[in-house]
């Protein structure tokens, strides 16, 4: 993969390159949220994810593109649980769409296509048997 910006559906029609994500875009993402917006804790988490990705970009000499996203997730996959990886993926999708694709439906669709190529990390849904009450314990309650 080459270091091609992800925000235009046709790579041969390149526009500006985005070197880093803007942490302040989190406030914009929160404002556009369907519900009451992001909590202060969620905003802090999003900013932390942006800093982590920006640091990765700086160290690797990459820009915001499909290759850098894939390499970022390849690098962190063994370090975090599946739920954390999915949160990071979702946060970066929201932030990149807000920063780069907000003014164009085609750009937003192109960004979503890029994120579809990144793995969805399977979370465990089973509850450990010893974490559940037995039938007799339930009845005694």
């Amino acid at each position: 993969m080459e270091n091609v910006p992800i925000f235009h559906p046709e790579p041969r029609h390149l526009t500006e390159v985005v070197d880093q994500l803007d942490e302040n875009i989190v406030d914009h993402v929160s404002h556009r949220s369907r519900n009451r917006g992001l909590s202060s804790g969620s905003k802090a988490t999003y900013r932390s994810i942006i800093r982590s990705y920006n640091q990765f970009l700086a160290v690797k000499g990459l820009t915001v593109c499909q290759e850098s996203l894939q390499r970022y997730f390849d690098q962190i996959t063994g370090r975090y649980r599946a739920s954390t990886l999915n949160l990071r993926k979702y946060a970066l999708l929201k932030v990149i769409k807000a920063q780069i694709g907000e003014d164009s439906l085609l750009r937003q669709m192109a960004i979503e296509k890029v994120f579809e190529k990144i793995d969805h990390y399977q979370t465990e849904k089973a509850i450990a048997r010893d974490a559940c009450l037995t039938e007799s314990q339930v009845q005694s309650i």
Side-chain angles (χ1 to χ4, degrees):
M1 280 184 267
E2 57 185 279
N3 195 10
V4 177
I6 63 171
F7 50 87
H8 199 286
E10 297 293 328
R12 61 183 176 272
H13 300 292
L14 298 179
T15 58
E16 66 182 288
V17 173
V18 176
D19 293 323
Q20 298 272 295
L21 295 176
D22 181 6
E23 285 185 45
N24 295 322
I25 200 73
V26 171
D27 294 322
H28 182 69
V29 169
S30 179
H31 177 71
R32 293 186 48 104
S33 180
R34 290 185 190 140
N35 300 328
R36 297 176 304 238
L38 297 173
S39 69
S40 60
S42 293
K43 287 180 185 180
T45 299
Y46 275 43
R47 286 187 177 96
S48 172
I49 292 167
I50 292 169
R51 279 192 297 277
S52 171
Y53 180 62
N54 283 342
Q55 182 180 19
F56 172 83
L57 293 175
V59 167
K60 300 293 184 183
L62 298 170
T63 59
V64 178
C65 66
Q66 181 175 343
E67 176 192 5
S68 66
L69 283 163
Q70 188 61 59
R71 287 176 59 183
Y72 174 73
F73 281 99
D74 288 347
Q75 178 177 304
I76 66 171
T77 294
R79 297 191 328 211
Y80 297 102
R81 291 180 173 185
S83 57
T84 302
L85 293 168
N86 288 330
L87 170 64
R88 286 176 175 262
K89 181 180 170 183
Y90 180 76
L92 287 173
L93 170 65
K94 293 299 233 183
V95 167
I96 290 171
K97 281 176 67 175
Q99 182 172 335
I100 299 170
E102 183 174 64
D103 63 336
S104 168
L105 183 58
L106 287 175
R107 282 190 197 144
Q108 286 188 20
M109 290 170 55
I111 292 166
E112 287 174 7
K113 270 295 203 208
V114 166
F115 275 86
E116 285 175 9
K117 294 177 183 176
I118 297 171
D119 287 340
H120 177 75
Y121 304 94
Q122 199 65 30
T123 57
E124 290 187 30
K125 293 181 172 53
I127 298 174
R129 181 170 228 122
D130 60 345
C132 298
L133 296 174
T134 65
E135 187 175 334
S136 62
Q137 290 172 319
V138 171
Q139 296 213 0
S140 69
I141 294 174

